[in-house]
Amino acid sequence: MTSVVLRRVLSTLPVMGVVALFVFSLLYIAPGDPAAVIAGDQASPEDVERIRAGLGLDRPYLIRFFEWVGQILSGDLGTSIFTNMPVTTMIAQRVEPTLSLMLVTLVIAVGVAVPMGVIAAWKADTWIDRSAMAFAVLGFSTPVFVVGYLIAYLFALKLGWFPVQGYQPLARGVGPWLHSLILPSVTLALVYIALIARITRAAMLEVLGQDYIRTAKAKGVGQRRILFVHGLKNAAVPIVTVIGIGVALLIGGAVVTESVFAIPGLGRLVVDAILRRDYPVIQGVVLLFSFVYVLVNLAVDLVYVLVDPRIRY
């Protein structure tokens, strides 16, 4: 078991190396001269060269890459070209709204999708099952920004139940914090609900056809206990796996959702940096998102190893 866990952990190192190489290469694969684009049309050649030196484009690629990796390992993500602030400081200022949005979205998605998938499997081929799966298909097919505008128009502009945009920090109280996150979290959760519900239904259908489920029914075990103890427990591995994989949806969806609802999180930060060609900020945020995604998938992989009794090599 220890060797399996160790191999899983070590396997993430090459992945992070490839990710770091790609993120660093953004400066070199961007169209045109990044320094000239950042400097603008009115900049002098001296200004362009100064920006090139600041970005490290005047030094060889490999030397600059290893210097950059060394900075990353020491906790230095560079300095913003436009604000002249450390990228780590800018990320620290924006991380709370993004983490809050992802946390509330995850709670809503799992709390709705898992019972929906279980009930759909229990009532397979009935109108309940078809309605749940139709909702899942609709939620998975509709773009996040379309859902966001529709929900904001109905519940914020028309009914006035929630704010149209903005974010209230947790320090101002749980009530205002949660109130400002309901609409964006529901918007982002719809895609996630659709994904988890479909996987939960498929996993539960397979489990409910097993012999031990029929034995439990024959012994008079209650339906709720069969579904949520005997059934869901044995169907948990693929469900937990897809929850971890779906973190990529949360990261990508957070960028769009924060833009729609004007939430000052990491998504807005990276969008603003892209528009201004602030490459150190882009590199820092993309690297952070990639690192979180790899860690979450590693955690899911380790849970799979610990839960599945078949893996003991």
Side-chain angles (χ1 to χ4, degrees):
M1 176 62 68
T2 303
S3 62
V4 175
V5 173
L6 183 61
R7 283 201 298 269
R8 293 290 199 277
V9 174
L10 293 178
S11 65
T12 62
L13 298 181
V15 176
M16 288 306 304
V18 173
V19 169
L21 181 62
F22 171 77
V23 171
F24 175 77
S25 301
L26 290 175
L27 275 174
Y28 295 87
I29 63 178
D33 184 357
V37 172
I38 293 171
D41 297 333
Q42 306 300 322
S44 64
E46 291 77 12
D47 293 333
V48 175
E49 288 302 319
R50 177 178 54 81
I51 295 177
R52 286 181 61 85
L55 294 174
L57 295 175
D58 58 339
R59 297 195 293 278
Y61 175 85
L62 288 179
I63 293 178
R64 179 63 189 126
F65 173 70
F66 287 111
E67 290 177 351
W68 181 75
V69 171
Q71 293 176 356
I72 297 300
L73 294 177
S74 64
D76 181 11
L77 296 178
T79 304
S80 170
I81 298 172
F82 292 92
T83 65
N84 204 32
M85 291 176 59
V87 176
T88 51
T89 301
M90 298 178 68
I91 290 176
Q93 293 174 348
R94 302 290 193 100
V95 72
E96 182 191 325
T98 300
L99 286 179
S100 300
L101 175 62
M102 294 178 66
L103 176 62
V104 177
T105 299
L106 189 62
V107 171
I108 293 175
V110 175
V112 173
V114 173
M116 180 188 297
V118 172
I119 294 173
W122 176 38
K123 298 292 185 179
D125 298 326
T126 65
W127 68 270
I128 297 177
D129 179 27
R130 296 188 183 95
S131 300
M133 290 303 100
F135 173 80
V137 171
L138 181 64
F140 203 76
S141 305
T142 308
V144 173
F145 70 91
V146 173
V147 176
Y149 286 129
L150 291 176
I151 289 180
Y153 176 78
L154 177 60
F155 293 100
L157 294 178
K158 284 295 184 181
L159 299 177
W161 292 353
F162 301 97
V164 179
Q165 58 185 12
Y167 169 77
Q168 295 294 329
L170 186 58
R172 297 183 181 178
V174 176
W177 170 78
L178 189 60
H179 189 249
S180 66
L181 286 172
I182 291 296
L183 288 188
S185 298
V186 170
T187 299
L188 185 55
L190 285 180
V191 177
Y192 211 33
I193 289 172
L195 177 64
I196 299 174
R198 290 170 66 91
I199 297 300
T200 302
R201 177 185 180 274
M204 285 295 296
L205 282 176
E206 181 179 356
V207 169
L208 291 178
Q210 299 297 320
D211 292 338
Y212 60 85
I213 297 295
R214 288 191 287 270
T215 302
K217 291 180 180 179
K219 290 182 176 181
V221 179
Q223 189 66 53
R224 182 180 299 179
R225 183 174 179 83
I226 290 176
L227 289 176
F228 291 97
V229 177
H230 298 284
L232 187 59
K233 179 180 179 181
N234 289 282
V237 171
I239 298 172
V240 172
T241 302
V242 78
I243 290 174
I245 294 174
V247 170
L249 293 178
L250 289 182
I251 294 175
V255 176
V256 179
T257 306
E258 289 179 2
S259 299
V260 171
F261 290 95
I263 297 175
L266 294 177
R268 282 289 301 277
L269 177 62
V270 74
V271 169
D272 293 341
I274 290 172
L275 294 176
R276 296 186 300 183
R277 299 293 182 94
D278 197 343
Y279 286 100
V281 177
I282 298 172
Q283 289 175 324
V285 176
V286 172
L287 188 65
L288 176 64
F289 280 163
S290 303
F291 182 68
V292 171
Y293 181 64
V294 170
L295 282 185
V296 170
N297 280 273
L298 173 62
V300 171
D301 201 12
L302 294 179
V303 169
Y304 185 82
V305 171
L306 296 174
V307 170
D308 195 335
R310 295 170 296 179
I311 303 178
R312 290 293 184 269
Y313 53 88

